[in-house]
Amino acid sequence: MTRKLFIKTYGCQMNVYDSERMAEALGAQGYVTTERAEEADMILLNTCHIREKAAEKVYSELGRLKPLKAANPELRIGIAGCVAQAEGEEIMRRAPVVDLVVGPQTYHRLPAMEAAMRAGARPVDTDFPEEDKFEHLPKSRASGPRARRGPTAFLTVQEGCDKFCAFCVVPYTRGAEVSRPATRLLAEARDLVKRGVREITLLGQNVNAYHGEGPDGAEWSLARLIRALAEIDGLERIRYTTSHPNDMGDDLIAAHGQVAKLMPYLHLPVQSGSDRVLKAMNRKHTAEQYLRQIEKLRAARPDLLLSGDFIVGFPGETEADFEATLDLVRAVGYGQAYSFKYSARPGTPAAERAPVPAAVADDRLQLLQALLAEQQRAAQEAMVGREVGVLFEKPGRMEGQMVGKSDHLHAVHVVAEGLQPGDLRRVRITASASHSLAGALI
Ligand code: 5AD
Ligand code: SF4
């Protein structure tokens, strides 16, 4: 019997990846995915808890789903992801429309939970089990080992975080840092390549802390894993995200200069440029140490494009602290970056501290975003006239146009005959628009 599954994914790339795995797991139970919530027999909300009233957003979304359940008595609703982890049983109490709650570490138990749910139970599972949640996920018929994939894919190599930054819920919702064995990852990567994938982005909340078991029984670093992945024929590009400055080892920095398949783009969040704030955030490094890392990285790979994350209005942040953040941004010169207003997350140490007035934080965010937007524009302009690799992914909006990503992760539009998704071509950049580049095949 075929049932329809609708998954709504919030938050990070890890959730995007997890949603794909959940679709595969439920595919083995006879579910096919749909883009339309109205025709679904099961709706899964894969939630995010990182910022701003996450739980409240989920409860209001559930309110909107209520009529669907009234219209279709077969419909079941599940909550997955970090809000599921943080709220657990509380969701069942507050939202009678919910039939299932599953935390990010127990997706391999989803098929059994689904069966229990169809039998009338309201299962909740927010354990942190020992076993690898991906080992047990069955492959569905529709997306089994032979099914073709698009040219790019994510591969989760590590999950969780032991850093305990004072503002962050991740160590609580995703648990302790766990790395997957390298042998398993190499096998999955080879399988992805067989299915048409040419670019793999290695995922982890703290990806550069990767320390999985290698085929030789020794502990492998991320750099070692990347070097082994680079040996796979047909895999053309490797990226990884997200990294912590303190785990940026010399071997990983060296890999940026030596492994041609490792793309010249790095997301390396610093959060603040003030040593006082960095200390209060429990980041365990100074602005100067971060700048030294950037220097070393650029020495290894001069055309490296940098991305980052910033938080403004962290409790105790003064005008001088904020100026130090602007100074750091000017010193680095980011290709692009994300910036957020601090939002207190219940249960984290910073949530107990006196907040910066909202209006002050708003002003700072505006200033920072203006500076980052200017740097992004400049970085794009600097690409004009240069030759880059572009991996094409899909047709563009204009007739005859294809869109892909450059080595530096810029979206690039090209008009050319016969280009196919999955083609990797050399392109001369001819123009820069607000969020993309235009180019011509060489
Ligand atoms: N408030 C604001 N931003 C946050 N981030 C994480 N927690 C918070 C918070 N409580 C941001 C950080 C992190 C990114 C994923 O989200 O910048 O790097
Ligand atoms: Fe959160 Fe990243 Fe800090 Fe870990 S390193 S606690 S995931 S901000």
Side-chain angles (χ1 to χ4, degrees):
M1 172 177 172
T2 303
R3 289 195 168 111
K4 291 200 171 128
L5 171 67
F6 174 82
I7 305 185
K8 183 161 179 180
T9 307
Y10 301 80
C12 66
Q13 289 154 330
M14 181 79 77
N15 269 8
V16 174
Y17 180 85
D18 283 349
S19 289
E20 286 171 9
R21 299 292 82 72
M22 286 193 274
E24 284 178 6
L26 290 170
Q29 311 274 103
Y31 281 89
V32 294
T33 51
T34 171
E35 301 290 308
R36 300 180 53 235
E38 312 81 67
E39 63 172 30
D41 301 294
M42 178 152 177
I43 294 178
L44 265 180
L45 304 181
N46 191 4
T47 60
C48 171
H49 205 233
I50 197 97
R51 286 176 295 273
E52 299 293 2
K53 308 183 186 82
E56 294 316 311
K57 275 189 209 158
V58 172
Y59 289 116
S60 49
E61 177 73 21
L62 285 170
R64 283 192 290 277
L65 293 178
K66 237 190 210 156
L68 294 184
K69 203 155 176 176
N72 174 10
E74 279 300 295
L75 175 62
R76 297 288 181 273
I77 297 178
I79 307 296
C82 293
V83 173
Q85 189 64 43
E87 297 275 298
E89 292 280 356
E90 176 66 14
I91 296 180
M92 290 302 194
R93 267 194 296 277
R94 271 189 65 178
V97 293
V98 173
D99 303 288
L100 175 154
V101 173
V102 58
Q105 300 313 321
T106 48
Y107 294 152
H108 54 292
R109 297 180 182 164
L110 197 52
M113 292 175 74
E114 193 272 347
M117 180 187 77
R118 289 285 165 196
R122 294 175 84 210
V124 176
D125 194 339
T126 54
D127 285 356
F128 285 105
E130 287 280 307
E131 70 266 21
D132 182 333
K133 75 183 195 193
F134 301 113
E135 298 282 343
H136 304 271
L137 287 179
K139 295 233 154 75
S140 74
R141 286 172 298 260
S143 55
R146 303 289 139 232
R148 293 291 291 177
R149 298 269 312 231
T152 66
F154 294 126
L155 178 59
T156 294
V157 304
Q158 115 15 275
E159 246 192 296
C161 181
D162 297 336
K163 294 282 191 288
F164 290 92
C165 298
F167 50 82
C168 185
V169 287
V170 165
Y172 311 96
T173 57
R174 293 277 172 166
E177 209 270 291
V178 180
S179 296
R180 303 182 63 210
T183 315
R184 174 92 195 175
L185 297 170
L186 290 166
E188 281 179 26
R190 280 189 212 101
D191 180 59
L192 287 170
V193 170
K194 269 194 214 130
R195 293 157 64 184
V197 169
R198 306 197 74 190
E199 170 179 315
I200 292 181
T201 301
L202 308 176
L203 287 185
Q205 271 93 23
N206 231 304
V207 72
N208 60 342
Y210 177 82
H211 59 106
E213 190 188 338
D216 48 4
E219 201 168 83
W220 277 24
S221 65
L222 185 67
R224 185 103 190 257
L225 178 66
I226 287 171
R227 286 177 194 275
L229 286 166
E231 300 287 314
I232 299 176
D233 281 336
L235 179 61
E236 305 296 345
R237 291 172 145 192
I238 302 167
R239 305 181 189 276
Y240 61 94
T241 197
T242 288
S243 297
H244 190 287
N246 289 358
D247 294 314
M248 211 65 221
D250 285 340
D251 62 340
L252 188 53
I253 294 175
H256 276 277
Q258 294 163 349
V259 181
K261 291 181 182 180
L262 184 56
M263 289 293 104
Y265 176 96
L266 178 65
H267 183 62
L268 192 61
V270 64
Q271 315 296 354
S272 168
S274 152
D275 289 344
R276 228 176 50 81
V277 172
L278 287 168
K279 194 160 196 307
M281 286 177 164
N282 193 32
R283 291 289 290 184
K284 299 199 170 81
H285 61 78
T286 62
E288 190 58 29
Q289 284 165 336
Y290 177 82
L291 291 172
R292 286 286 87 78
Q293 298 277 42
I294 302 290
E295 233 167 58
K296 284 203 247 171
L297 281 157
R298 281 184 167 148
R301 182 82 204 229
D303 69 335
L304 188 71
L305 201 89
L306 283 151
S307 161
D309 289 341
F310 294 90
I311 296 177
V312 301
F314 186 77
E317 184 187 71
T318 64
E319 206 52 42
D321 292 323
F322 175 64
E323 286 296 331
T325 297
L326 295 178
D327 287 343
L328 178 139
V329 170
R330 286 186 201 104
V332 172
Y334 287 90
Q336 78 103 42
Y338 305 92
S339 48
F340 312 102
K341 198 163 69 162
Y342 169 74
S343 111
R345 313 312 296 132
T348 60
E352 313 291 314
R353 303 178 197 162
V356 164
V360 172
D362 284 333
D363 286 349
R364 289 179 187 167
L365 186 63
Q366 261 194 15
L367 282 171
L368 176 59
Q369 290 189 335
L371 175 60
L372 290 169
E374 173 51 30
Q375 291 194 342
Q376 176 173 344
R377 198 193 56 75
Q380 283 190 199
E381 290 286 339
M383 299 307 298
V384 176
R386 279 175 62 182
E387 184 189 322
V388 292
V390 175
L391 178 60
F392 290 95
E393 293 177 17
K394 54 178 189 237
R397 249 176 269 153
M398 273 163 54
E399 181 75 21
Q401 193 186 51
M402 284 286 286
V403 192
K405 291 279 165 58
S406 76
D407 302 335
H408 302 88
L409 211 54
H410 287 125
V412 180
H413 293 80
V414 169
V415 178
E417 299 247 319
L419 270 180
Q420 296 297 324
D423 286 349
L424 180 60
R425 303 287 290 272
R426 300 301 293 172
V427 168
R428 172 95 48 213
I429 302 301
T430 52
S432 168
S434 58
H435 289 286
S436 66
L437 302 172
L441 293 186
I442 291 175

